[in-house]
Amino acid sequence: MTSPLVVDIHTHVYPPSYMELLRSRKTVPYIHDPANGTPRLIILSSDDDPSVPLDERGRPVDSSYSDVNVKLSFMRRHGINSSVISLANPWLDFLEPEEAQVWAERINDDLEETCARVNQAADKENTLALNEKETLFAFGSLPLSAPNPDIVVNEIKRLKTLPHLRGVIMGTSGLGKGLDDPALDPVWAALQETESLMFLHPHYGLPDEAFGGADVTNRYGHVLPLALGFPLETTIAVTRMFLSGVFDRFPGLRILLAHSGGTLPFLAGRIESCIHHERKFVANGGDQPGLQKSVWDVLQTNIYLDAVVYGTAGLKAAVTAAGSPDRLMFGTDHPFFPPLDNDQDAEWVSVTTNYKAISAAFATDKEAVEGILGGNAARILSLK
């Protein structure tokens, strides 16, 4: 019996060039190499607490972040045939304008070279089908801090010429003013023109005050910002895009939302109701333009969702909002959420939980399960 194809579309890698960039920095984000021990990634401003010894700040960055062989071993351990790798947050948002283009090109070329090398080795077994070997593809990063949007547009177009790149990954800040910034229109136009998928991933979360202040946040570690801040950041960012008419102006824009769209599937009806009753819109007697598409239209035509939600209730909400399981794709969020005993060879609960949730949510629909595990990603991203 042939096993179904499994494609991981939410999995991160720090290629050598990105590691070099982070090691060259002394401000967030940066990597600190202790005299003894594992390098530390200081990724959030809250990680860079001067009261904490430098060797203890941030999180350990072991080989699972940057060694592609560790990624392949992880894939093999969890039955994953193909991974669409991408930089993890904060991508290139922090770069000075004059540095952005050079680093984006270098890092994207690095990702292409990594995928090409792995796939060339896999292709030697040319009799094997896609679900019988391990292959890599990638989402590129954009030089969003560049001084001219044309630089970003040109990189989007260049990525289409790289054989193993399948879209781009972005955060919610855009050019620094959010995703409803009109200055992003050339970027949306280029993504639409090139039919490039944009993977939207949170990073900035919500301020500590939303969770009760820094003391409360420190008391509970990363639970509040990761469990609640990230999903709400995504929801707010996409809703701002929607309210500003981005999806009306660019009806062909395709976006993959991390973590099953945050809380968007659950709150879509509430958002739609609030729009219907908002007096600021022309339709209700105000002076702000109305929207041609509903939230539901956008969810079912412009948006795809990963299945990184760790539960059947979340998956069912995601499918209901998306209108079909054909718009959901499996992901692991590797190398984040590793086993607590740091045994890289063990099964990762963060991964097996997603597998179990998909099986439980669609227990009577084998076709839906196979689509979410890999068939949908292979179709949407043209994985060959």
Side-chain angles (χ1 to χ4, degrees), residues 338-381:
L340 292 176
D341 60 6
N342 293 320
D343 182 1
Q344 296 290 338
D345 294 327
E347 281 194 344
W348 291 40
V349 173
S350 57
V351 177
T352 57
T353 300
N354 279 333
Y355 271 129
K356 291 175 182 176
I358 292 168
S359 295
F362 305 98
T364 61
D365 192 342
K366 179 183 176 183
E367 186 175 336
V369 171
E370 292 185 354
I372 294 168
L373 289 179
N376 296 343
R379 181 189 75 253
I380 293 164
L381 296 174

Side-chain angles (χ1 to χ4, degrees), residues 103-124:
W103 278 109
E105 291 176 357
R106 183 175 174 188
I107 288 167
N108 290 333
D109 288 345
D110 208 345
L111 289 170
E112 168 62 25
E113 187 278 329
T114 297
C115 294
R117 174 166 40 85
V118 168
N119 293 3
Q120 185 176 19
D123 285 344
K124 289 181 179 178

Side-chain angles (χ1 to χ4, degrees), residues 114-295:
T114 297
C115 294
R117 174 166 40 85
V118 168
N119 293 3
Q120 185 176 19
D123 285 344
K124 289 181 179 178
E125 299 289 342
N126 56 16
T127 60
L128 298 181
L130 189 61
N131 64 338
E132 297 175 310
K133 54 188 176 183
E134 289 104 23
T135 57
L136 296 181
F137 299 88
F139 292 124
S141 291
L142 298 178
L144 293 171
S145 62
N148 189 325
D150 287 345
I151 295 174
V152 184
V153 168
N154 289 339
E155 185 62 8
I156 291 171
K157 293 179 178 180
R158 191 182 77 90
L159 290 174
K160 290 296 289 187
T161 70
L162 302 182
H164 298 93
L165 272 289
R166 287 298 185 272
V168 302
I169 187 168
M170 278 179 61
T172 62
S173 68
L175 303 176
K177 297 181 180 179
L179 301 185
D180 54 350
D181 180 3
L184 276 167
D185 276 9
V187 176
W188 305 140
L191 290 171
Q192 176 175 260
E193 177 188 344
T194 58
E195 299 183 342
S196 299
L197 185 70
M198 188 264 274
F199 181 23
L200 180 64
H201 192 295
H203 168 70
Y204 300 95
L206 301 180
D208 285 343
E209 288 74 21
F211 306 117
D215 289 343
V216 173
T217 303
N218 289 336
R219 189 188 316 159
Y220 303 129
H222 288 95
V223 173
L224 290 170
L226 290 181
L228 303 179
F230 269 26
L232 286 170
E233 177 188 343
T234 300
T235 304
I236 293 167
V238 176
T239 304
R240 286 174 62 181
M241 287 182 73
F242 172 66
L243 291 173
S244 69
V246 168
F247 298 105
D248 290 337
R249 296 194 301 279
F250 304 99
L253 188 62
R254 301 189 307 154
I255 299 180
L256 167 65
L257 301 184
H259 315 124
S260 291
T263 60
L264 188 61
F266 182 78
L267 294 177
R270 182 173 179 84
I271 294 167
E272 191 69 20
S273 176
C274 289
I275 292 170
H276 178 76
H277 291 90
E278 178 51 60
R279 289 186 171 88
K280 286 186 177 292
F281 293 120
V282 170
N284 300 328
D287 58 2
Q288 296 297 311
L291 299 167
Q292 299 168 31
K293 282 188 165 186
S294 71
V295 173

